[in-house]
Amino acid sequence: MDESPACSEVTAEELYREMRRGEPSCILDVRNEEEFSHWRIESLHPDTLLNIPYFEFLEHEEECVGKVPRGQRVTVVCAKGGSSALVASFLSQHGIQARNLQGGMIAWGDVQVITPVVS
């Protein structure tokens, strides 16, 4: 995996707003399966939600790239934003429109959402 120094990034707040607007979304979570099964981005129904652990990209590069949809923007997520930044850069090198969720799931968990109370 050739590590590119820069990749596109999105904040958790920006991602949430995009999902609320119904913009097409593919979320690629590169955390391990156990972490993914306990907590993931799913509340706003992304078009595609994938879990391909980071180490799988290192061990089975072509197979993993083949599982990622082309023709739509892919937001890559990990716990803190480091591993996902590397995978996003890697996918970009393969012609996939990928970006990193800045701050990862920690940032996603910090997004403050105000839900109106329905009487």
Side-chain angles (χ1 to χ4, degrees):
M1 183 181 305
D2 181 21
E3 297 174 13
S4 178
C7 72
S8 176
E9 291 198 329
V10 63
T11 67
E13 292 83 6
E14 290 168 333
L15 179 61
Y16 178 77
R17 285 192 299 272
E18 290 172 3
M19 293 172 79
R20 292 268 310 177
R21 289 191 299 264
E23 294 180 19
S25 174
C26 174
I27 305 294
L28 170 59
D29 194 316
V30 296
R31 296 174 301 145
N32 67 48
E33 292 173 12
E34 183 178 345
E35 291 172 323
F36 178 76
S37 70
H38 284 84
W39 184 40
R40 58 185 170 262
I41 298 174
E42 63 182 343
S43 61
L44 295 174
H45 310 290
D47 298 324
T48 306
L49 178 62
L50 299 172
N51 176 229
I52 306 172
Y54 172 76
F55 67 85
E56 289 288 327
F57 277 93
L58 298 176
E59 296 174 3
H60 307 286
E61 174 182 323
E62 294 302 319
E63 181 182 332
C64 290
V65 170
K67 293 177 183 178
V68 178
R70 294 182 176 269
Q72 64 176 298
R73 184 172 51 204
V74 176
T75 302
V76 187
V77 179
C78 70
K80 297 178 184 176
S83 297
S84 54
L86 292 174
V87 171
S89 292
F90 175 67
L91 292 173
S92 294
Q93 293 171 14
H94 282 80
I96 296 172
Q97 186 183 358
R99 63 187 180 170
N100 179 46
L101 176 60
Q102 191 177 60
M105 289 300 290
I106 291 173
W108 183 256
D110 289 339
V111 171
Q112 298 297 313
V113 177
I114 299 171
T115 306
V117 177
V118 178
S119 307

